[in-house]
Amino acid sequence: MDKARETALKALHEVNEKGAYANVALAQALRAAKLSDMDRRFVTELVYGAVKAGETLDWMLRRYLNRPLAKIPPMVRDILRLAMYQIFFLERVPVSAACNTAVELTKRYSHAGTVKFVNAVLRTAAREPEKATFPSGKGNETQHLALSSQHPVWLVRRWVQQFGYEEAVRLCTFDNEPAVLSLRTNTLKTTRKKLLECLQAEGVEAEASCWTPEGVLCRRHGALDDLMSLQEGFFQVQDESSMLVAHIVAPEPGDFVLDVCSAPGGKATHLAALMGDVGRIVALDIHEHKIRRLEENCKRLGIISVEPMLLDAREAGRHFAGQADCVLVDAPCSGLGVLRRKPDARWRKTPAELLALPILQKEILESAAGAVKPGGVLVYSTCTITRAENEEIIEAFLKDHEVFSLETAGEFLPLQKRREKMIQLYPQRDGTDGFFIARMKRRVDA
């Protein structure tokens, strides 16, 4: 039995049938399997690739089936998906290897009749790949882009309307590029220069970010858990654009800062670093397991100014009325700006979710505003690229709250100043994760 492909199958099954997050399922499968570095990379490529291909794989698979896909046993479906991904998307993998290992996996997880079925489907796919050619020509542009870029049709249609076809192509292309691992230097323990030297000594290829003074981009690395620099708390894994948020909050040492949607604490611990770990940062979340993860991160990073608290963000204003110098609302959002980092996310989003989220975002921002003291700062951020979750939220809030005024967030960017009042980073334009940040100030006399 091919241990690498079986490991990939188990992780893929956890994602497709049990709703696990791809990164979590993959990490658990790799820990259990104890593979070589080469096999670990292959498993990672298989899992992330097959998950990202999602409905595109299923559309292709249906071209070779004589029965509904839903009627096929779940594990066999995933065996077929894994093999189809190798046949059509991994040129360096011999077709025979993909087919043969799929047959062996079917023998282990199903019965003889199914083995013949799997073998027949895959041999036909390998022999007649033209059956899986995507629709093209006039009237099929959006479907072709969706299938070829492995995105939901409804989402691609939305982006074509928002950006135009050519820019939608660039956005989809960006989503499919490998996501560079981004680290934030824990400046309470070390400097970026020393961290880069430490990472290099540990065999990591890394370079400085051009967006933030603490940012480090890892071009090549092994298992993070094995790095001494991680264990010693020299860095926190955090996206480049996410690091901009704390700089736009711009807290001072000794401030009382409220982070109302905090876990796992990337921004809260960054705020602590900018404050020299002097002051008070109350970090809220509604999930106990996320609070525990936040506590673990603070302990590893050596941070004492962060106080994790189990509390709904919609209660923040009542609980901390008029107390905070700075309030950060990193709101729950559709996450459409970070799809390259979450291969399963694109298939879990729905149009209904995008309609429902602004309601929650407005409720959280409304409550958070009540915690800002006169003269204090309120920052709203998301990792998405939809106006309804970003600019429209802020515009509606300011219309109803004249005691707050919009500041020029671009002036607070640490390395690349901008003139925009509200910062909206687009992946296809800025080459980084999509992120939105707005900074508002409460009148001193309010």
Side-chain angles (χ1 to χ4, degrees):
M1 181 61 62
D2 187 315
K3 192 173 182 181
R5 286 180 171 88
E6 185 176 24
T7 301
L9 174 63
K10 290 177 180 178
L12 183 62
H13 192 66
E14 288 291 317
V15 174
N16 288 339
E17 300 302 325
K18 300 182 181 180
Y21 291 114
N23 61 329
V24 175
L26 175 62
Q28 291 174 342
L30 289 175
R31 288 193 190 103
K34 298 180 180 178
L35 302 169
S36 67
D37 286 346
M38 182 180 294
D39 279 346
R40 287 172 64 92
R41 288 194 292 272
F42 183 49
V43 170
T44 300
E45 184 172 22
L46 288 177
V47 174
Y48 280 165
V51 169
K52 184 170 66 178
E55 290 294 332
T56 293
L57 269 185
D58 287 355
W59 184 93
M60 297 169 70
L61 188 52
R62 289 187 184 98
R63 311 278 82 78
Y64 302 99
L65 297 177
N66 57 8
R67 67 186 76 172
L69 188 60
K71 296 289 186 181
I72 299 173
M75 185 62 87
V76 178
R77 276 203 304 265
D78 286 329
I79 291 172
L80 288 168
R81 286 164 174 154
L82 201 61
M84 289 287 287
Y85 176 71
Q86 294 171 76
I87 292 170
F88 285 92
F89 296 102
L90 295 184
E91 293 182 0
R92 72 177 187 276
V93 174
V95 171
S96 58
C99 295
N100 292 340
T101 53
V103 167
E104 293 302 314
L105 286 168
T106 308
K107 288 178 182 177
R108 171 167 289 191
Y109 291 100
S110 191
H111 53 76
T114 308
V115 171
K116 293 180 181 179
F117 164 72
V118 167
N119 186 56
V121 169
L122 296 179
R123 297 296 176 186
T124 303
R127 188 173 58 251
E128 303 174 25
E130 66 279 359
K131 284 188 175 182
T133 302
F134 302 137
S136 60
K138 190 173 182 180
N140 293 314
E141 294 91 347
T142 298
Q143 186 184 21
H144 182 88
L145 175 57
L147 287 169
S148 62
S149 68
Q150 303 166 15
H151 283 73
V153 174
W154 70 266
L155 182 56
V156 172
R157 184 177 295 115
R158 181 188 185 98
W159 284 346
V160 169
Q161 293 172 350
Q162 182 177 356
F163 301 113
Y165 184 80
E166 294 302 323
E167 194 165 355
V169 171
R170 293 198 296 273
L171 178 51
C172 290
T173 301
F174 182 92
D175 284 349
N176 290 337
E177 293 174 354
V180 178
L181 176 66
S182 179
L183 313 177
R184 174 176 54 79
T185 307
N186 179 13
T187 53
L188 297 172
K189 286 191 173 186
T190 189
T191 64
R192 180 165 70 176
K193 182 180 179 181
K194 290 180 180 178
L195 175 60
L196 285 167
E197 292 171 352
C198 183
L199 290 170
Q200 184 178 10
E202 294 181 288
V204 178
E205 293 182 13
E207 63 188 41
S209 163
C210 64
W211 283 96
T212 66
E214 312 92 340
V216 170
L217 303 180
C218 298
R219 300 297 178 185
R220 188 177 180 85
H221 61 89
L224 283 185
D225 291 347
D226 297 336
L227 296 181
M228 179 277 294
S229 50
L230 174 68
Q231 299 165 10
E232 293 294 324
F234 292 164
F235 69 81
Q236 173 72 24
V237 176
Q238 188 175 357
D239 297 346
E240 250 185 320
S241 49
S242 172
M243 294 182 214
L244 300 175
V245 176
H247 285 285
I248 290 178
V249 175
E252 297 288 340
D255 277 354
F256 171 34
V257 180
L258 185 61
D259 183 356
V260 303
C261 304
S262 185
K267 296 177 184 67
T269 53
H270 192 188
L271 290 165
L274 293 180
M275 295 164 62
D277 207 21
V278 176
R280 182 188 182 199
I281 302 170
V282 176
L284 309 182
D285 203 86
I286 58 173
H287 300 290
E288 287 189 19
H289 70 282
K290 290 187 176 181
I291 288 290
R292 288 194 296 271
R293 187 177 171 194
L294 172 57
E295 291 170 339
E296 291 167 0
N297 278 330
C298 288
K299 183 178 180 180
R300 181 178 57 82
L301 296 169
I303 289 171
I304 61 174
S305 60
V306 175
E307 303 172 21
M309 178 180 291
L310 194 65
L311 185 71
D312 191 315
R314 290 169 291 188
E315 296 295 319
R318 179 185 60 81
H319 207 87
F320 297 98
Q323 297 180 34
D325 297 286
C326 306
V327 176
L328 170 60
V329 178
D330 186 44
C333 70
S334 59
L336 298 182
V338 293
L339 292 184
R340 69 169 176 162
R341 297 190 182 277
K342 300 177 179 180
D344 46 333
R346 66 186 69 185
W347 303 112
R348 293 181 174 177
K349 305 300 177 186
T350 65
E353 179 187 359
L354 266 63
L355 289 174
L357 277 166
I359 299 172
L360 174 62
Q361 291 158 348
K362 288 174 182 177
E363 290 175 351
I364 293 175
L365 185 58
E366 178 74 27
S367 175
V372 182
K373 73 179 188 181
V377 169
L378 175 63
V379 172
Y380 175 87
S381 66
T382 72
C383 57
T384 195
I385 54 177
T386 69
R387 277 191 55 83
E389 298 178 73
N390 295 335
E391 292 93 340
E392 291 178 13
I393 295 288
I394 300 303
E395 289 164 0
F397 174 81
L398 292 173
K399 184 178 180 181
D400 295 337
H401 298 79
E402 294 183 356
V403 296
F404 282 92
S405 59
L406 190 64
E407 298 197 299
T408 304
E411 293 179 354
F412 291 87
L413 294 176
L415 299 180
Q416 299 189 35
K417 303 295 184 184
R418 293 196 178 201
R419 296 179 179 179
E420 293 102 313
K421 288 279 190 177
M422 296 182 273
I423 295 297
Q424 175 67 78
L425 299 180
Y426 291 105
Q428 75 278 15
R429 297 176 187 174
D430 297 291
T432 186
D433 292 333
F435 230 89
F436 175 83
I437 315 169
R439 175 185 163 106
M440 296 161 282
K441 191 161 189 175
R442 185 168 190 153
R443 285 207 322 259
V444 176
D445 61 346

